[in-house]
Every structure is written in structure tokens, then in C-alpha cells.
């Protein structure tokens, strides 16, 4: 995994300064601490920060084709690169490295921008085609790896992270009001929108081509839930799913460095750790996060899997204060407001991975989205049942079965569940049915918005922002498939894979890999009959059937416990965190202008008095604090922070190219 950056100057084709490229890539050193590389051509510059995982000695980037007319900088992994390389060699292509990066170059020569259809991987890359004067940008199918861009002064700037773009003083650093409205509703910004005005994100499954200063963007992949598989026996479906996951794991273990695995104690990570064990002659190296608060802790289940597989295991235990202390770093890397503290323990866990000498970990992320593992899918099914039978005596029993963890949670209750199921869904498209209660709960946090922010948002309908993300065939899907599609297009790409995934791992130079997000696995699951994804209220039914002989029954049959971390309570302790009081002060809030100081003061008082908080207050506190941190770090104090980073940056150009 790596960091990339680049500049394409407009029709003037003014040379790109090496100093500009060094500044852009220097702030991404955490993504690639092993060395930097540069390419400078006519009006174009590419930069790369390398985390060496494949072809440790020869894979330095930028990489070129045989006649040096096509160049690439690449962030990610192509897991089927060996098979692609073999096919390309037969077609006459000549390779000078053993890297997966070079495969993309020759694949582009052979197929042009359609090369992305051949890639099994997680990627964001930029190809400069000198002959066509074409810049080609691409991002993987579900947005595992990030890619941002902006236009300023006739130049197109792009990079793996927004902070890289901000090293150019021409790029303004302003938080976009519409972005706040989206986050405080959907938990994420809707691509191409980012948290910052004028900065855009290439959406998942999209490519961009800039040729002779004409820019076009196109979608090359989208989840398709049309059921086109011929009917088969349940056991046959289960066998194929297992075979696909096994092969996906095999491919994702390809690396020239050791590979570990995350182990949460849940089904998904346990499955992946088990499959990794199939390909290892030594104990699998596993890593877990635990919590001092037992309401969030799963160490008992983790230990069961460790004992069952005999893994070489390490874990960290997070306290609320640990989370509060690390939260500013989380926002620096996330580059957007967030409503939960859940990313923070994952950043601390990736630090443990790196300190243990590992650069790569496999995780179970993605299973819940493709196999209907979340409560949100069951909730929608129950709401439809209760709407048909509002006086049903089964209501309390259903809620207890759906939320067995509520009794231990300090912020949830069955009463919450009752209120949740009475959510008003009128005024929303039918396809949004499953998500409306979540959005309605979240949007209540906007009560803390300031009058100026509300005025700036007057007349803005954030639901319209979702329209470009959604395929026209969405209304044709069954209810479960609609909910899964929406979850993949919003929360998976816009929050889980970035704020909890790429950014938290790469903060410590660790690459996460996700076998459940192999496109073959996803496409197989999308085409399954809905009843095999969720049978009655049994989530991930087919997955459980396919692996039931591999894991203890206590793991395969346990009710899913959503991954959560202490939220508002993490910021208020006997020993206060200085930044919290500062950012929530009336002076700072008025100066930033996003939130009502009086309302925030009442919320902060409630938190300091350790009163039990509901969903709205917890999300509001975290959202307000993360927004203020974002403003502090990127709007007010970016220049001095970057200046310090550049001053500490060691000159390192182990591979540099000048053209």
C-alpha cells in the first residue's frame, strides 16, 4: 500500500516543480515510509510514497512500459497479478520488475481504460499516457483505496489524501456546509462531495480521463442484485461460497512480507483467520482490540478462536481516556467529521500491528454488507411485519431477539427499539425504507447547527445528493437487496472502508485486505436468493452454513454484536483533555461558526455530569468535536503543522525519474 500524488498543468503545459511534488508526497509519508519516487514530464508530475510489500527491491515507482511512454503511480494491490502477467507475456509484453504495478501498465497498453475490468484488487492509480497526452485515474470497485482531486489555476491536482492537495497554497481550505449536512444525516459525505469546498473524491468503481484538458468520469462497476444464477440446492450454494472465499484468501495472502489477521471474535474475522490457517505452516499471527468497558468487550469470543486455531495472538485494551487522547490524530487521518469514536481503537490496533513487525493484515470487513449481516436489514423486515400486525403480542419478543446486547448497553434500551420501529418513513422513496430510521435518528443532531450554518443550507435537499450514486435498476430489486445496495453505496464506501479502514490502518503504515470484497465473492452473493443471505432473522445464513464445520458453534451461532466503542464518555474524565474544553468553548465555537454555543454548552454539561446519553447526544458530541478538530487542523492551523512536518522530513528519493 502506498500514497500517490500528481499535477497536470493545463494547456500551458508549464513544468511541474519537483519541490511541489515533494511537498505533496511528503505529507503522505505515513502511507509509504519506505521511500519516494518522482516522474516529471511535459506539464505533468507524478509522486509516490512506497510501502514495500511485493517485489521489495525492484518495485519502485513510478513504473513505465517498454518505450517509457506510459507511466504509473499506484496505491493498492492487484491480487491476480501473476495470472495477468503470464497472459501479458504471451501477448509479447516485456517486464522489467516482478511487481503488480507493472502489470497495470501493460494491461493499459493492451486494453486501454478497460484494463480495470481485468483487475482483482484494491486500488487507486494514475496513468500518464504521453503519446495521447492522457491522464487516466481509477479507483477500485467499492472504494477501498482513496483518491481525491481539485482544479486550481488551470491545474488538476490529485492525491491519496486531501492534505496533500492542501500543500499547494492556491487550494483554499474551507469546510463545505453541505458536507456537514450529509455527515450529520448519512454518517458520510456523498461522492464526489468531500468535507472541503472545491475538493472532490473519485467515487468507488469509477474512472476519470483527462485528455487534451477535457475531463470525463464514468462508472465501470456497480453492485448488481439481479438474480441470474440457475436454481441450485442450498448445499451447492454453500460449497461455492466457501470455495470462492478460500480462493480470495489465497490470492490476498500474496506478499513478500509476513501477513497477519484481525480477530474481533465475530463470525467474519474468525472465518478469515480460519481460511488463512489453511495456507500457513506456522501459527497465524492475529491481533485484537479489547475494551476496559465490558459492554463493548468481546475478548472471551476472541480467546475461543485463538484456542481453536492456535494462533499467535496479541491484543490491546482501550480505555475511554485512550480513545479521547487519540481522537485528534484520528480526525487528522480521517479528514472528515465522524459521529462515532469507533475508528479510534482501530487506529491504536494498527499501531500494535506495525510495532509487531507486520505491514499487512486480512480482515472480515464487507461480509455484513454482501450477506445481510446488519441489524438494519432485520429491522426493515420486522417493521414491515409490525406494520401489518401493529398489535402483535410478539413485538417485545422480537425486539429482545433483535437487540440482545441492549441489556448491557449504557446508552440503549428496549424502549429505544419501540420508538425506532415507529419511525416516520413518509416522504422518502420506497427504496430508502430500511435506512430512513437511521437517517431520522442521525439528522436530529442538526439541532446543534448554528443559525448561519442553517441559513447556508436553506433549500438544500441532501437526499438529492444520493441520486448520482444510485443505479436506475434499484427499484427493481427486492426489499433486502435494495437495503444492501444502499448500505454498500453509502456506509461501506463512505465510512467503514475509509474512516474505519484505510485511514486508520495507513496512519501506522499498515495495509488492510478484505477477502469478502473480492469482486467474485461479492457478485456471487448479490445473485443469491434473498433467503440465503438472511433466513427469517438469521443474518448471513449461507455463510454460517458454509463454515459451520470450521469453527466452534459458539462463534457460528452467536448473535452478532455490532462493533462499537465508548463515545461521548471518552472525552470527560477526572483528568480533563485540554483540547476538548478549548474546542467546545464559546469563543472557539463562535469563531468557527458551525454550531450553536449555548446548545453545545448544555450538551457538554450533560456529558461532564456523566448523565446517560442517547444516540442523538452521543453522535452530536462526537460530530461537533470532530468538526471542530477538522476546522482547527485544516482551516486554522494547517500551514504551521505542515511546515513542521516538512522540516522533519528526511530527504529520501531512492528511485527518481526525470523526463
Amino acid at each position: 500500500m502506498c500514497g500517490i500524488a500528481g499535477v497536470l498543468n493545463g494547456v500551458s503545459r508549464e513544468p511541474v516543480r519537483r519541490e511541489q511534488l515533494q511537498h505533496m508526497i511528503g505529507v503522505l509519508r505515513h502511507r509509504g515510509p519506505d521511500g519516494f519516487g518522482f516522474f516529471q514530464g511535459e506539464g505533468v508530475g507524478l509522486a509516490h510514497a512506497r510501502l514495500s510489500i511485493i517485489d521489495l527491491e525492484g518495485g519502485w515507482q513510478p513504473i513505465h512500459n517498454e518505450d517509457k511512454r506510459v507511466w504509473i503511480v499506484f496505491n493498492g494491490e492487484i491480487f491476480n497479478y501473476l495470472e495477468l502477467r503470464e497472459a501479458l507475456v504471451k501477448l509479447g509484453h516485456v517486464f522489467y520488475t516482478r511487481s503488480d504495478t507493472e502489470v497495470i501498465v501493460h494491461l493499459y497498453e493492451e486494453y486501454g481504460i478497460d484494463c480495470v475490468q481485468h483487475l482483482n484488487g484494491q486500488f487507486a492509480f494514475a496513468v500518464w499516457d504521453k503519446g495521447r497526452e492522457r491522464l487516466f485515474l481509477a479507483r477500485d470497485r467499492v472504494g477501498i483505496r482513496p483518491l481525491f482531486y481539485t482544479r486550481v489555476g488551470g491545474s488538476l491536482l490529485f492525491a491519496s489524501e486531501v492534505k496533500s492537495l492542501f500543500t499547494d497554497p492556491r487550494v483554499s481550505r474551507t469546510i463545505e456546509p453541505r458536507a456537514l449536512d450529509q455527515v450529520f444525516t448519512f454518517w458520510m459525505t456523498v461522492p464526489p462531495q468531500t468535507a472541503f469546498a472545491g475538493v472532490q473524491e473519485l467515487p468507488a468503481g469509477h474512472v476519470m480521463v483527462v485528455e487534451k484538458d477535457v475531463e470525463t468520469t464514468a462508472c465501470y462497476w456497480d453492485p448488481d442484485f439481479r438474480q441470474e444464477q440457475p436454481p441450485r440446492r442450498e448445499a451447492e450454494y454453500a460449497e461455492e461460497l466457501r470455495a470462492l472465499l478460500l480462493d480470495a484468501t489465497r490470492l490476498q495472502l500474496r506478499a513478500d512480507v509476513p501477513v497477519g489477521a484481525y480477530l474481533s471474535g465475530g463470525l467474519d474475522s474468525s472465518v478469515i483467520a480460519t481460511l488463512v490457517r489453511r495456507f500457513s505452516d506456522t501459527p497465524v499471527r492475529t491481533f485484537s482490540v479489547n475494551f476496559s468497558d465490558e459492554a463493548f468487550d468481546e475478548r472471551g469470543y476472541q480467546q475461543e478462536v485463538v484456542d481453536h486455531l492456535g494462533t499467535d495472538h496479541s491484543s490491546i485494551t482501550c480505555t475511554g481516556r485512550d480513545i479521547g487522547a487519540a481522537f485528534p490524530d484520528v480526525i487528522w487521518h480521517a479528514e472528515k467529521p465522524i459521529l462515532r469514536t469507533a475508528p479510534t481503537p482501530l487506529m491504536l490496533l494498527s499501531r500494535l500491528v506495525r510495532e509487531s513487525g507486520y505491514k499487512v493484515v486480512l480482515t472480515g470487513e464487507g461480509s455484513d454488507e454482501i450477506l445481510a449481516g446488519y441489524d438494519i436489514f432485520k429491522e426493515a423486515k420486522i417493521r414491515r411485519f409490525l406494520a401489518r400486525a401493529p398489535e402483535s403480542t410478539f413485538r417485545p419478543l422480537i425486539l429482545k431477539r433483535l437487540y440482545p446486547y441492549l441489556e448491557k448497553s449504557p446508552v440503549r434500551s428496549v424502549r429505544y427499539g419501540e420508538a425506532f420501529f415507529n419511525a416516520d418513513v413518509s416522504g422518502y422513496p420506497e427504496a430508502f425504507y430500511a435506512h430512513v430510521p437511521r437517517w431520522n435518528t442521525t439528522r436530529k443532531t442538526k439541532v446543534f447547527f448554528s443559525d448561519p450554518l442553517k441559513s447556508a443550507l436553506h433549500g438544500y435537499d441532501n437526499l438529492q445528493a444520493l441520486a448520482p450514486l444510485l443505479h436506475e435498476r434499484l427499484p427493481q430489486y427486492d426489499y433486502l437487496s435494495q437495503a444492501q445496495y444502499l448500505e454498500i453505496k453509502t456506509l461501506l464506501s463512505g465510512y467503514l472502508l475509509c474512516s474505519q479502514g484505510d485511514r486508520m490502518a495507513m496512519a501506522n503504515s499498515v495495509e488492510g485486505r478484505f477477502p469478502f470484497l473480492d469482486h467474485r465473492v461479492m457478485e456471487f452473493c448479490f445473485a443469491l436468493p434473498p433467503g440465503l443471505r438472511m433466513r427469517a432473522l438469521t443474518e448471513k445464513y449461507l455463510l454460517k452454513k458454509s463454515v459451520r464445520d470450521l469453527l466452534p458453534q459458539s462463534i457460528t451461532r452467536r448473535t452478532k454484536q455490532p462493533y462499537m466503542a465508548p463515545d461521548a464518555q471518552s472525552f470527560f474524565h477526572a483528568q480533563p483533555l485540554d483540547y476538548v474544553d478549548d474546542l467546545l468553548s464559546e469563543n472557539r465555537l463562535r469563531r468557527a461558526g458551525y454550531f450553536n454555543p449555548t446548545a453545545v454548552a448544555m450538551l457538554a454539561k450533560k456529558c461532564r455530569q456523566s448523565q446517560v446519553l442517547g444516540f442523538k447526544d452521543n453522535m452530536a458530541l462526537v460530530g461537533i468535536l470532530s468538526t471542530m478538530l477538522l476546522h482547527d487542523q485544516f482551516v486554522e492551523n494547517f500551514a504551521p503543522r505542515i511546515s513542521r512536518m516538512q522540516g522533519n522530513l528526511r530527504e529520501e528519493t531512492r528511485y527518481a525519474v526525470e523526463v
Side-chain angles (χ1 to χ4, degrees), residues 43 156 296 334:
L156 174 72
F296 305 96

Side-chain angles (χ1 to χ4, degrees), residues 188-229:
M188 41 83 75
T189 52
V190 182
Q193 179 71 63
T194 70
F196 300 99
V199 176
Q200 294 182 295
E201 174 183 16
L202 186 64
H206 278 63
V207 296
M208 175 191 288
V209 176
V210 184
E211 194 165 355
K212 296 181 174 59
D213 215 37
V214 176
E215 178 184 308
T216 57
T217 303
C219 176
Y220 70 87
W221 187 89
D222 198 66
D224 187 353
F225 283 86
R226 290 175 295 184
Q227 295 168 38
E228 298 178 346
Q229 293 190 22

Side-chain angles (χ1 to χ4, degrees), residues 413-425:
S413 67
V414 174
R415 193 186 326 168
Y416 152 76
E418 289 278 3
F420 184 89
F421 284 103
N422 290 324
D424 181 12
V425 298

Side-chain angles (χ1 to χ4, degrees), residues 35-86:
F36 299 138
F38 303 90
F39 165 83
Q40 290 169 274
E42 185 179 347
V44 66
L46 306 176
H48 185 259
R50 188 182 187 205
L51 180 64
S52 50
I53 290 173
I54 291 177
D55 192 6
L56 305 185
E57 294 301 321
W60 295 96
Q61 299 184 40
I63 278 177
H64 55 78
N65 69 337
E66 295 94 331
D67 62 8
K68 298 186 178 181
R69 292 174 66 84
V70 178
W71 294 82
I72 188 173
V73 284
F74 167 54
N75 167 32
E77 303 292 344
I78 305 304
F79 300 119
N80 62 335
Y81 79 101
L82 293 177
E83 292 79 7
L84 291 172
R85 178 190 176 105
E86 183 180 354

Side-chain angles (χ1 to χ4, degrees), residues 225 227 229-241 267 367-373 377 381 478 480-481 484 524-547:
F225 283 86
Q227 295 168 38
Q229 293 190 22
R232 283 182 281 170
R233 291 185 300 110
E234 201 174 86
E236 292 177 304
Y237 282 119
E239 183 179 350
E240 183 169 354
L241 175 59
L267 176 65
S367 173
D368 288 313
E369 289 78 11
I370 67 174
L371 284 158
F377 306 128
K381 190 169 188 176
D478 61 272
L480 177 61
S481 299
Q484 289 183 253
F524 171 80
C525 293
F526 297 158
L528 287 171
L532 291 181
R533 289 177 248 143
M534 185 171 70
R535 175 70 56 88
L537 292 183
T538 300
E539 73 275 8
K540 295 180 284 196
Y541 172 79
L542 190 67
L543 177 62
K544 292 176 178 179
K545 186 176 181 66
S546 69
V547 300

Side-chain angles (χ1 to χ4, degrees), residues 209-485:
V209 176
V210 184
E211 194 165 355
K212 296 181 174 59
D213 215 37
V214 176
E215 178 184 308
T216 57
T217 303
C219 176
Y220 70 87
W221 187 89
D222 198 66
D224 187 353
F225 283 86
R226 290 175 295 184
Q227 295 168 38
E228 298 178 346
Q229 293 190 22
R232 283 182 281 170
R233 291 185 300 110
E234 201 174 86
E236 292 177 304
Y237 282 119
E239 183 179 350
E240 183 169 354
L241 175 59
R242 180 161 159 168
L244 282 169
L245 282 171
L246 194 63
D247 194 57
T249 303
R250 176 184 67 85
L251 291 181
Q252 295 198 21
L253 284 170
R254 286 177 169 173
D256 294 333
V257 296
V259 178
Y262 280 167
L263 189 59
S264 69
L267 176 65
D268 307 330
S269 63
S270 300
V271 167
I272 297 305
T274 300
L275 297 181
V276 170
R277 185 70 182 89
R278 293 289 187 93
F279 299 102
S280 178
D281 296 328
T282 58
V284 178
R285 192 74 170 89
T286 55
F287 303 90
S288 294
V289 60
N290 303 316
F291 294 93
S292 57
D293 187 334
E294 67 172 18
F296 305 96
D297 195 57
E298 297 184 75
R299 72 184 73 196
Y301 291 109
Q302 294 166 7
Q303 193 59 49
E304 278 195 64
V305 182
V306 168
D307 293 341
H308 178 72
L309 296 178
T311 72
D312 179 8
H313 189 66
S314 298
S315 65
I316 58 167
T317 299
C318 284
T319 66
R321 185 168 180 81
D322 293 334
I323 292 170
F327 196 65
D329 286 340
V330 167
I331 302 307
W332 173 252
H333 289 288
E335 298 184 326
K336 66 172 67 173
I338 57 177
L339 303 181
R340 309 303 294 268
T341 62
T344 317
L346 295 175
M347 186 186 74
L348 299 175
L349 180 60
S350 71
R351 181 187 301 169
L352 171 67
V353 171
R354 187 68 187 191
E355 290 173 349
S356 300
Y358 279 70
K359 295 180 178 181
V360 183
V361 287
L362 270 62
T363 89
E365 197 66 79
S367 173
D368 288 313
E369 289 78 11
I370 67 174
L371 284 158
Y374 288 130
D375 283 348
I376 195 170
F377 306 128
K378 292 185 281 188
E379 289 164 351
K381 190 169 188 176
I382 292 172
R383 279 163 49 219
R384 293 189 185 279
F385 166 75
L386 294 179
R388 293 193 300 269
E391 304 303 322
S392 171
T393 58
F394 289 105
R395 179 188 293 262
L397 296 176
I398 292 174
L399 295 179
K400 186 174 181 180
R401 178 178 174 186
L402 184 57
Y403 304 122
Y405 48 84
L406 288 179
E407 296 178 3
K408 295 194 301 180
S409 173
V411 298
R412 298 187 175 195
S413 67
V414 174
R415 193 186 326 168
Y416 152 76
E418 289 278 3
F420 184 89
F421 284 103
N422 290 324
D424 181 12
V425 298
S426 60
Y428 291 88
E430 176 64 23
F432 294 169
Y433 182 86
H435 287 69
V436 170
R438 177 200 285 168
W439 296 342
N440 281 345
T441 299
T442 306
R443 72 193 324 151
K444 292 175 183 176
T445 58
K446 291 191 284 189
V447 70
F448 294 96
F449 282 6
S450 67
D451 289 338
L453 180 57
K454 291 176 181 177
S455 296
L457 292 168
H458 179 69
Y460 173 64
D461 181 2
N462 57 28
L463 283 178
Q464 294 300 315
L466 288 179
L469 283 186
L470 308 180
H471 198 279
E472 60 186 12
R473 62 176 172 256
L474 178 60
Q476 303 169 16
Y477 297 153
D478 61 272
Y479 295 139
L480 177 61
S481 299
Q482 287 178 343
Q484 289 183 253
Y485 178 92

